[in-house]
Amino acid sequence: MTQRFNTKTVHFQAKDVARNMSKAQPIYQTSAFTFKDLDDMESFYQGEKEYLYSRFGNPNTDDLGKGVAAVEEAEDGVATSSGMSAILAGILAVVKPGEHVIASEDLYGGTYQLLAVELLNLGIEVSFVSFENREEIKNAIQPTTRLLYTESVTNPLLRVENLQMVQAIAEEFGLLSMIDNTFATPFLLQPTKFGADLVIHSATKYIGGHSDVTAGVLVGKKELIEKARVKVVSLGCNLSPFEAWLACRGLKTLSIRMERQSKNALALATALKTNEDVKKVYYPTELSQKGNGAMVSIELNSSVDVEKFFQSLGWIKIAPTLAGVETTVSYPIRTSHRTIPDTVREKLGITNGLVRISVGIEDELDIIETFESAIKKAKG
Ligand SMILES: *Cc1c(COP(=O)(O)O)cnc(C)c1O
């Protein structure tokens, strides 16, 4: 039968991607998959075919979930629409209304908001305590406690979590553990090696690495990921195929980016430590033998005009994010930590002079010289 114009515009033949052996993974930019006949479709429900509808699963999103699971040495993984939805799906997979979570008090601002407001509205109570203190965690345990939640490297003060201690408490009291490994990345640290049950990433950051995608990944024990996948599907916080494809492309260069960025960050932290207008430099020393990450936070002396400093950075842009190949700066009290109450912020050391630097892949001396010059220009 010859097709008429309107039919032809819709049904022109696409090349058979499965047989073309393309070197790069094609983008399965499709909301659903088709079937030869009803038996063929039934085979999806029998578990013989993988794909039916992209919200349930798609080759590109699976690539990201499985890819990050592989490098995290976790049993399984699922990709989500953002880091936030990875956290949400992970927590809802293991905690029910009426149950209780113990979380570190120095979490990423968005996570704090999710746990303190949204989860509370869903009937899940969260206690925020200092994870630097074993006794504080233990004292917060209630009969309904199910989960310990923390970050392997905290934001913006870059405290390296004692994962061994967190896991020991979880095991002693029969709790699950969930770790946000966004800042450390699996290149530097794999929380599953300490026994973590669930690990989340904002793939928007180092896994994507190019500031062009918003995505999340949750990895961990197979049975927990199965439960989380159900949440991702039901809540509709699946990732789009194109975003997944971009994040997968980022993942391929994670090692070389982290190697260079960690090296540059160490050089910058070392240089700023001897700068008389920098009161304090926050940079980890004990994260990993491969490096200590690409985030550096500094507290400027009160002699430095913060507004002027931000205006004097030239090619280094202000951005309320991190982890791209370009060096960027952010101002925690006005961005990521805006929603944290002043009293909590003060207790945590997030002051007016605090600047968070996400170090990129540029030449180390260009980065150092630009910061030194901005500090000099901003001196009152
Ligand atoms: C950015 C970030 C998140 C949230 O991720 P989104 O992709 O923005 O949803 C969670 N945790 C940490 C540590 C982050 O840096």
Side-chain angles (χ1 to χ4, degrees), residues 80-87 107-111 149 151-155 180-183 200-205 213-217 320-323 336 356:
T80 62
S81 57
S82 65
M84 294 314 303
S85 57
I87 299 169
L107 295 178
Y108 171 76
T111 309
Y149 185 97
E151 296 169 355
S152 49
V153 177
T154 67
N155 172 31
D180 182 334
N181 200 32
T182 299
F183 275 40
I200 82 102
H201 281 278
S202 168
T204 314
K205 313 294 165 54
V213 60
T214 298
V217 189
T321 187
L322 60 119
S336 55
R356 192 188 73 184

